[in-house]
Amino acid sequence: MRTPICDDLGIEFPIFAFTHCRDVVVAVSKAGGFGVLGAVGFSPEQLEIELNWIDEHIGDHPYGVDIVIPNKYEGMDADMSTEDLTKMLQDMVPQGHLDFARDLLRDHGVPVEEGDDNTLQLLGWTEATATPQVEIALRHEKMTLIANALGTPPRDMIEHIHDAGRKVAALCGSPYQALKHADADVDIIIAQGGEGGGHCGEVGSIVLWPQVVKAVAPRPVLAAGGIGSGEQIAAALALGCQGAWSGSQWLMVEEAENTPVQQEAYIKAGSRDTVRSRSFTGKPCRMLRNDWTEAWEAEGNPEPLGMPLQYMVSGMAVSATHRYPDQTVDVAFNPVGQVVGQFEKVEKSAAVIERWVNEYLEATEHLDQLNEAAAGV
């Protein structure tokens, strides 16, 4: 399974695990993969705590950090401090959207009180809020890769990361976006098919991956969207990718912060139980369909706002999910890909890496046998 990107990053397997849980980052990297911590939900101060913990537990293994700076978002052209930007955006959120969200949560028995619901907070969905996260990440020597989940990072940020001796990755959903990444000197292009969890486009993985590989060659490409087995990694490498960027699988490991009730919801779900919805972040994001996503699509109800305004409304639901994880499944933010239909049990992260490697070897051995049979060997 070893590819050139393994040597570039000093890892054993080209398996990248995106997660919001520091324990998963450590477990995956120690098992030979590459753990990537999603920073969007952390303040700079909390991110420093998380990365210090990772540094103390990960040994000599490298890891990465994922940020979110979309190419388009409300207030992106405003030249002002984070505090002033936050105030401006807060004033743009209609009261009716806030009332609708609170009523929806209360109708599901979720206690939400004024001033105690994480409403109108500006998360790391902007350059102003992501830049401090990058600065924190660059202080940590074992942190060797910064990925942007939405769009091409600003050129000066890419240069700054390169000057610090680290690599830059960015996700895309089309060859056009991939070329923009390459033109900006992004080191690793992550091609995410529409079946992937979180923010995604509409083109399926098996169509998208080879298109992106061809567009940016010889720049390395990681396959994302629908990765949940070693066979799927084998398919990605056969289509020219150098590794797999995975996310959904790491919701279903023992080291994840998800509760058994939350994980059971994933086990029960089929691939058709996901939906691309703007109801939490303001941009199309694949997640489990539930009462929250359905309510924001219903005729006569408020339509989702753009990014980052919609999260300044839905933040109360995300906060409630953390406070009452087992009581909010029907209104929770559950980003996950269509690969959820493959999940049958919760495993240790190291066991997932081992299983994927073995499945990859079995898949490639099967291809070798077919070739031998065709050649009459």
Side-chain angles (χ1 to χ4, degrees):
M1 186 187 286
R2 195 168 186 85
T3 66
I5 208 168
C6 295
D7 295 328
D8 290 343
L9 292 174
I11 56 179
E12 186 175 1
F13 308 118
I15 297 174
F16 294 72
F18 168 81
T19 174
H20 292 287
C21 302
R22 63 188 189 184
D23 299 78
V24 178
V25 171
V26 168
V28 168
S29 288
K30 293 178 75 171
F34 191 90
V36 182
L37 183 70
V40 70
F42 298 120
S43 67
E45 295 77 16
Q46 185 59 41
L47 181 61
E48 177 72 12
I49 293 173
E50 301 296 308
L51 299 188
N52 283 336
W53 188 92
I54 292 174
D55 288 343
E56 293 172 2
H57 292 82
I58 204 167
D60 295 329
H61 304 283
Y63 66 94
V65 167
D66 179 277
I67 59 172
V68 182
I69 306 179
N71 285 152
K72 294 182 180 179
Y73 55 89
E74 298 288 344
M76 66 177 296
D77 296 324
D79 184 13
M80 58 182 66
S81 66
T82 303
E83 292 76 15
D84 290 339
L85 175 62
T86 302
K87 180 62 171 61
M88 182 190 77
L89 294 173
Q90 288 173 342
D91 293 339
M92 295 171 63
V93 177
Q95 184 62 43
H97 281 64
L98 298 173
D99 293 340
F100 175 74
R102 289 193 182 99
D103 289 344
L104 180 57
L105 292 174
R106 289 167 179 159
D107 288 345
H108 284 77
V110 180
V112 179
E113 303 298 333
E114 295 283 350
D116 186 37
D117 55 14
N118 201 33
T119 305
L120 294 175
Q121 299 300 309
L122 181 60
L123 201 61
W125 305 108
T126 68
E127 182 177 354
T129 50
T131 297
Q133 295 173 332
V134 171
E135 295 302 327
I136 292 294
L138 292 178
R139 297 177 188 173
H140 297 261
E141 293 183 2
K142 300 174 187 178
M143 196 295 305
T144 59
L145 174 73
I146 291 181
N148 189 34
L150 271 175
T152 306
R155 286 183 179 270
D156 57 347
M157 180 178 289
I158 294 174
E159 292 176 0
H160 181 50
I161 296 171
H162 284 163
D163 289 343
R166 321 301 170 84
K167 292 187 179 296
V168 180
L171 278 76
C172 70
S174 72
Y176 171 76
Q177 293 173 341
L179 285 170
K180 289 183 64 177
H181 292 343
D183 290 343
D185 201 22
V186 170
D187 301 288
I188 301 169
I189 313 297
I190 305 168
Q192 183 181 32
E195 62 268 60
H199 295 107
C200 61
E202 300 179 6
V203 180
S205 293
I206 202 167
V207 174
L208 177 68
W209 295 342
Q211 289 180 347
V212 172
V213 169
K214 182 178 180 180
V216 302
R219 202 171 295 260
V221 174
L222 297 179
I227 300 291
S229 72
E231 295 94 339
Q232 288 158 329
I233 296 176
L237 268 58
L239 292 171
C241 299
Q242 286 198 27
W245 179 276
S246 53
S248 299
Q249 174 66 71
W250 311 106
L251 301 168
M252 294 295 294
V253 292
E254 293 181 10
E255 295 86 351
E257 295 176 354
N258 293 333
T259 69
V261 171
Q262 292 173 307
Q263 290 172 326
E264 184 64 24
Y266 291 123
I267 292 174
K268 290 180 178 179
S271 295
R272 293 185 178 183
D273 292 323
T274 68
V275 62
R276 291 174 75 244
S277 173
R278 296 175 52 240
S279 61
F280 274 95
T281 72
K283 288 186 179 291
C285 181
R286 186 171 295 283
M287 62 192 76
L288 282 187
R289 179 187 290 107
N290 61 16
D291 291 349
W292 177 278
T293 64
E294 294 290 282
W296 286 93
E297 293 293 329
E299 185 176 355
N301 289 342
E303 295 184 2
L305 304 170
M307 179 180 278
L309 300 180
Q310 183 62 19
Y311 184 83
M312 299 177 83
V313 175
S314 66
M316 65 178 76
V318 176
S319 178
T321 302
H322 289 297
R323 294 202 305 271
Y324 313 103
D326 294 341
Q327 288 78 41
T328 55
V329 174
D330 291 334
V331 287
F333 183 28
N334 287 313
V336 68
Q338 291 179 335
V339 72
V340 69
Q342 297 176 206
F343 297 156
E344 298 178 348
K345 61 182 179 180
V346 178
E347 304 171 83
K348 287 186 177 295
S349 296
V352 172
I353 297 292
E354 181 179 6
R355 173 169 61 82
W356 283 7
V357 171
N358 288 331
E359 290 169 347
Y360 169 86
L361 294 174
E362 291 172 1
T364 54
E365 181 180 352
H366 175 65
L367 290 176
D368 290 340
Q369 291 172 351
L370 290 177
N371 289 331
E372 291 172 0
V377 177

